[in-house]
Amino acid sequence: MWRNWSGTESAHPVRVAEPRGTDDVLALVRRAREERTTLKMVGTGHSFTGIAAPEHTMLSPGAMSGVLGVDREAMTVTALAGTPLHVLNATLEGLGLSLHNMGDIAEQTLAGAVSTGTHGTGGVAAGLAAQVVGLEMVTGAGEVLRADAEQHPDVLAVARLGLGALGVLTTLTFAVEPLFVLEAHERPLGWDEALESFDDLVAAHHHVDLYWFPHTDRVQAKCNDRLDAPLAEARPLPRWRHRLDDDLLQNTVFGALTAATARVPAAVPPLNRLSSALLSERTYSDVPHRVFTARRSVVFREMEYAVPREAGVAALREARAAIEASGLRISFPVEVRVAPADDVPLSTAAGRDTTYLAFHTHRSVPHEEYFALLEPILRAHDGRPHWGKLHTRTAADLAPAYPRFEEFLAVRERLDPDRVLTNAYLRRVLGD
């Protein structure tokens, strides 16, 4: 049985295979097409939705990992699509290179991360898909297709964030840049101060991330800035501080407290007030991936919506009002990030500057009532749900949210006319 990380999805594939390269993938796709069955590559299962859930043939990406080549003149790196992000990040560091931006975890495969719209905050390009400049995939029609700015640029445009609906990605080429030093400044703020200064913070810093603790007026701000400094001048967190703050407090202790409050909801508000009161200010600097990403061992459920940048603060205020009026007890912070507009058709930041609002619950706490309370608020602000996180949207109401939705469907019709790569989630969000 296959099960995703958060336990929200499971499946019983009929066939399981571990391809070692493009030829193996090609043979498996052609077999599924001839048998009129379906096939999915599953990644690491970090999506909360069933976007990768296999119905018949399941491909495991474990043997398709590693960097294939570096083009220092073009400043690109090509890697196998099953490579975990943390492996790519470590390899790039060794080469003196880095991605421009990334999300806050690095466990996903490259294919899974770009295909679901994984993003960071701020920068010139927030989403990983916007940093993809080339790819190779086996289409649902059983052909190997390579796409970049010169060959099949129309396919590249949509397949950078393809939801796994166009083909099985086998390699990805990313634009990279010289390794740089990133400084993080973390500090607690009051609710009013954080929201009133939000636009100023975003304008003043390269990357901004806010965490509001429900049932409190406390917000933790994390502002990351590039330093014009040699790597030797980076000042990472001392090992003891990293283990205390990030490993013990943010994972072990936080996990135990959120699990305990799931059984005693009345304890959530005072514990949130205590947790937020204990937040301290700290500044450190390191290579980018050690600042952007962190280990997350507490298993949770998540819904995230992308609203127009100018609607972000208003939507957050409405969400808080709804939470406070509901009587629900929410132990996880609400995360707020921003993204510049990009040109990826199914990116949640397609064509508009964006504010991301992310809502979480511990895996042992029913999430349905909380997410159902907030989703109408986010939809009313023209919100777009993250493809890999929980939501109730369907193709009928997603299509108007994306000006290039029909363009994506047209490419899908060309590349997977027999729907070899479909499953229940894709039928819901793309139609059949």
Side-chain angles (χ1 to χ4, degrees):
M1 185 175 74
W2 170 85
R3 187 184 299 275
N4 68 348
W5 175 78
S6 66
T8 54
E9 296 285 339
S10 61
H12 292 80
V14 175
R15 180 182 297 130
V16 177
E18 187 175 41
R20 304 192 65 82
T22 302
D23 289 344
D24 289 349
V25 174
L26 180 62
L28 288 160
V29 170
R30 287 178 172 174
R31 178 177 179 178
R33 192 163 185 260
E34 290 167 1
E35 295 175 342
R36 297 185 180 276
T37 57
T38 59
L39 172 149
K40 299 301 291 181
M41 181 81 86
V42 296
T44 58
H46 272 75
S47 290
F48 300 88
T49 65
I51 191 168
E55 294 181 341
H56 187 277
T57 299
M58 181 180 88
L59 305 188
S60 172
M64 295 181 62
S65 178
V67 171
L68 298 177
V70 180
D71 186 333
R72 291 188 180 272
E73 182 176 348
M75 287 302 285
T76 62
V77 169
T78 299
L80 289 166
T83 307
L85 277 163
H86 64 86
V87 171
L88 177 67
N89 288 334
T91 303
L92 289 177
E93 180 185 351
L95 294 168
L97 301 169
S98 175
L99 293 171
H100 173 74
N101 204 346
M102 60 197 77
D104 58 7
I105 65 170
E107 305 307 313
Q108 314 100 305
T109 63
L110 301 183
V114 301
S115 296
T116 56
T118 296
H119 62 88
T121 185
V124 174
L128 285 175
Q131 300 170 65
V132 172
V133 296
L135 57 86
E136 178 189 84
M137 66 179 174
V138 177
T139 70
E143 303 292 338
V144 177
L145 186 149
R146 297 176 182 86
D148 55 29
E150 304 298 327
Q151 52 184 345
H152 304 294
D154 59 325
V155 174
L156 176 66
V158 299
R160 290 179 291 172
L161 202 167
L163 310 184
L166 310 177
V168 178
L169 291 169
T170 52
T171 72
L172 286 157
T173 300
F174 291 89
V176 294
E177 51 194 88
L179 195 64
F180 55 93
V181 177
L182 192 65
E183 181 180 74
H185 180 201
E186 300 173 6
R187 61 190 173 110
L189 300 172
W191 167 267
D192 290 333
E193 179 187 3
L195 269 61
E196 290 168 5
S197 65
F198 185 59
D199 289 339
D200 292 336
L201 287 173
V202 171
H205 299 281
H206 293 124
H207 311 271
V208 174
D209 204 341
L210 300 183
Y211 301 87
W212 167 58
F213 289 76
H215 318 298
T216 80
D217 283 322
R218 305 295 289 173
V219 175
Q220 181 78 346
K222 181 182 181 184
C223 300
N224 297 335
D225 290 292
R226 291 166 171 253
L227 298 183
D228 185 14
L231 296 174
E233 294 183 12
R235 295 292 180 265
L237 283 174
R239 185 177 295 274
W240 68 266
R241 183 72 183 271
H242 174 73
R243 287 180 174 173
L244 174 65
D245 291 357
D246 300 338
D247 292 340
L248 179 61
L249 296 180
Q250 294 186 26
N251 283 292
T252 306
V253 174
F254 180 71
L257 288 176
T258 51
T261 55
R263 296 187 292 272
V264 190
V268 169
L271 279 174
N272 280 9
R273 289 193 290 271
L274 175 62
S275 297
S276 60
L278 293 175
L279 294 172
S280 60
E281 185 170 1
R282 64 181 189 176
T283 300
Y284 56 95
S285 57
D286 210 329
V287 295
H289 71 91
R290 294 201 188 97
V291 176
F292 283 130
T293 69
R295 186 174 70 89
R296 295 283 185 266
S297 62
V298 181
V299 182
F300 55 88
R301 311 284 166 76
E302 182 177 358
M303 177 180 73
E304 182 180 61
Y305 260 76
V307 301
R309 173 71 181 81
E310 61 275 11
V313 170
L316 179 59
R317 290 187 187 276
E318 291 179 37
R320 176 176 181 172
I323 292 168
E324 292 178 346
S326 71
L328 294 173
R329 296 293 178 257
I330 308 303
S331 60
F332 269 73
V334 173
E335 186 176 16
V336 184
R337 292 180 284 179
V338 297
D342 63 44
D343 63 350
V344 183
L346 289 194
S347 166
T348 47
R352 69 188 193 193
D353 293 343
T354 295
T355 300
Y356 290 103
L357 302 175
F359 306 88
H360 312 71
T361 67
H362 190 272
R363 66 175 171 180
S364 62
V365 176
H367 62 271
E368 291 84 358
E369 185 178 1
Y370 180 35
F371 294 171
L373 172 72
L374 299 177
E375 193 168 24
I377 295 171
L378 303 167
R379 288 186 62 170
H381 285 284
D382 196 20
R384 298 166 175 166
H386 190 297
W387 296 105
K389 300 177 184 180
L390 295 168
H391 66 92
T392 63
R393 304 288 288 276
T394 66
D397 58 55
L398 284 167
Y402 290 91
R404 298 171 69 184
F405 198 81
E406 292 300 324
E407 176 185 342
F408 184 94
L409 294 185
V411 174
R412 183 192 190 202
E413 191 63 31
R414 280 168 45 204
L415 300 188
D416 188 19
D418 300 318
R419 303 297 186 263
V420 173
L421 304 173
T422 196
N423 61 13
Y425 179 80
L426 293 180
R427 293 184 194 100
R428 173 162 72 88
V429 299
L430 296 178
D432 204 30

